[in-house]
Amino acid sequence: MATNLVSAVMQFLTPDMIAKIASALGLDRNIAQKAIAGAIPALLASFADVASSPNGARQLTNTLTQQSTSLDSLTNLIGGSGQNSLAETGSNMLSGLFGGGTLDTMAQTIGKFAGIGEGTSKSMLGMLGPLVLGALGQQQRSTGLDAGGLVSLLTSQKDQIATAIPSGLAGQLSAAGLIDGATGSLRSGAAAASAAGGRIAEASERTISGAGQAASALAGRTAVPQWPYWLVAAVVLGGLVWFALGRSGEDTVAQVSPPATTRTAPGTVGLAPTDLTVGGMNLANQINASVGSIRTLLPGITDAASAQAALPRLKEAVAQLNEVSSRAPQLSPEGKSTLVKLIVVATPVINQMCDKVLATPGAGDIAKPAIDELRGKLDALARS
């Protein structure tokens, strides 16, 4: 199986690298992490759209060929004297591929999602663009892909890339017309739902208005009971609502598949897909339980004693991930993509916590074997 492209890029964005980007842009580390987590799959989705046309595929291939700087050299530029040049070069490169207007729109959309300015967001994209292209080029060279092979790789991973985009950002990118290819059906469904809502509101307004007029006309007729007219109005309103909802169903049934997700309890990874059940086990819930336990345990490790006390629960969390790993091959391709998204979203924060524990005197050496096993399992799941 080909390397997951989102994971292939994210492996270069270590906690130290994210800290450098945050420092270079004058951002809080958590805000930078949020922006980066959205920018990487957004860039990959845009590259996939570029490659979908023959001219775009040639342009993307030429860009990868001309990029001679290694990934290690690119990451070394961030935080150093060459970072401004990197951001400018990257922005120009992305403008050439997407068009300047598209890049500005992407910067504005990601900036709004992460709560940062458009200029800062564009500088961040300028830094990340060469990294994403470098990872694509590395994948192309390591597997011997020609231009057609690169297009096939990007096309085959469109679903994985789309599911890696944070839900709050996906809607904004779709509304801005930046990821039509990845979220067209979702967008059509949202439009249909909005139209249905408009029909319901309009029908309600007309009916309530008519009921009000009927009530006014009857105000002076004390001998005639008024409640039957209100009852009729209520029945009419109910019929109109039924009609609007029924039409909404007709509009969307061919465009939107049944909802695949339900919101999990606060503090979990995110959306728990209802179709990730294998052998009676919901793998999303299993991941949420494991990740939730890890996020609770790691901040509490401050010395040798707390590290020793946390080991049994860390091992239990890894065992839960092992169970997920053993069942994941039975998932559908869509289920596997969703599973990868859950892991990719959770991993950066966990890695940051792990680094802090490993740097803690007395605790690092004790926790290291369990942390290494945990990281290995998360990485394996992200590449599945």
Side-chain angles (χ1 to χ4, degrees):
M1 180 181 292
T3 300
N4 180 283
L5 291 177
V6 176
S7 298
V9 177
M10 291 301 294
Q11 69 178 334
F12 294 99
L13 292 162
T14 62
D16 181 58
M17 180 56 57
I18 292 171
K20 286 182 178 181
I21 294 174
S23 177
L25 299 175
L27 296 175
D28 175 81
R29 188 170 181 169
N30 291 330
I31 292 177
Q33 170 63 51
K34 181 178 181 180
I36 290 168
I40 296 303
L43 285 169
L44 284 169
S46 294
F47 290 143
D49 285 342
V50 167
S52 63
S53 70
N55 288 337
R58 283 193 294 271
Q59 188 178 10
L60 179 59
T61 302
N62 290 339
T63 300
L64 295 181
T65 302
Q66 294 167 7
Q67 188 178 3
S68 58
T69 308
S70 68
L71 276 168
D72 289 337
S73 298
L74 288 172
T75 55
N76 289 335
L77 288 174
I78 298 175
S81 58
Q83 66 184 19
N84 291 335
S85 176
L86 173 65
E88 183 178 354
T89 301
S91 294
N92 292 335
M93 192 180 299
L94 294 177
S95 293
L97 287 169
F98 305 154
T102 298
L103 178 60
D104 289 342
T105 301
M106 181 181 291
Q108 183 180 22
T109 305
I110 292 174
K112 182 179 179 181
F113 164 73
I116 61 179
E118 181 180 343
T120 301
S121 179
K122 190 171 182 179
S123 294
M124 181 196 68
L125 289 172
M127 293 180 183
L128 295 177
L131 290 178
V132 178
L133 288 168
L136 273 178
Q138 186 180 77
Q139 181 69 14
Q140 183 185 28
R141 290 187 296 273
S142 66
T143 53
L145 298 177
D146 57 11
L150 178 63
V151 172
S152 297
L153 172 64
L154 286 166
T155 302
S156 69
Q157 297 212 11
K158 268 193 171 184
D159 288 342
Q160 288 180 321
I161 293 168
T163 57
I165 300 175
S167 57
L169 176 60
Q172 295 180 43
L173 290 172
S174 179
L178 295 174
I179 54 171
D180 276 346
T183 59
S185 60
L186 175 62
R187 199 173 169 194
S188 298
S194 176
R199 288 196 295 268
I200 293 172
E202 184 180 354
S204 299
E205 184 177 351
R206 288 199 304 266
T207 305
I208 292 171
S209 175
Q213 292 173 6
S216 298
L218 291 169
R221 303 182 186 180
T222 56
V224 181
Q226 297 181 24
W227 65 266
Y229 295 93
W230 289 104
L231 179 59
V232 170
V235 171
V236 173
L237 174 60
L240 288 171
V241 171
W242 173 86
F243 174 77
L245 289 175
R247 290 297 302 273
S248 172
E250 293 172 8
D251 289 341
T252 59
V253 68
Q255 300 171 6
V256 186
S257 58
T261 60
T262 55
R263 190 167 297 280
T264 61
T268 56
V269 174
L271 298 179
T274 56
D275 61 344
L276 295 190
T277 300
V278 177
M281 175 185 290
N282 188 310
L283 302 191
N285 289 344
Q286 186 84 342
I287 289 175
N288 283 332
S290 177
V291 168
S293 177
I294 292 165
R295 287 179 173 175
T296 301
L297 282 171
L298 293 178
I301 299 177
T302 57
D303 53 26
S306 57
Q308 194 67 46
L311 285 181
R313 292 185 62 191
L314 276 176
K315 292 178 180 178
E316 181 181 345
V318 171
Q320 289 177 316
L321 293 177
N322 282 332
E323 188 69 22
V324 171
S325 182
S326 67
R327 296 173 185 250
Q330 301 176 52
L331 290 171
S332 66
E334 294 79 9
K336 291 177 182 177
S337 296
T338 304
L339 189 71
V340 167
K341 177 183 176 181
L342 293 176
I343 297 297
V344 169
V345 169
T347 299
V349 175
I350 292 177
N351 279 335
Q352 189 174 354
M353 291 179 174
C354 288
D355 287 340
K356 187 174 181 180
V357 171
L358 292 175
T360 301
D365 291 341
I366 295 174
K368 188 177 187 304
I371 285 177
D372 287 346
E373 184 179 4
L374 168 64
R375 282 177 155 171
K377 183 55 59 179
L378 289 172
D379 184 63
L381 283 169
R383 296 173 182 273
S384 61

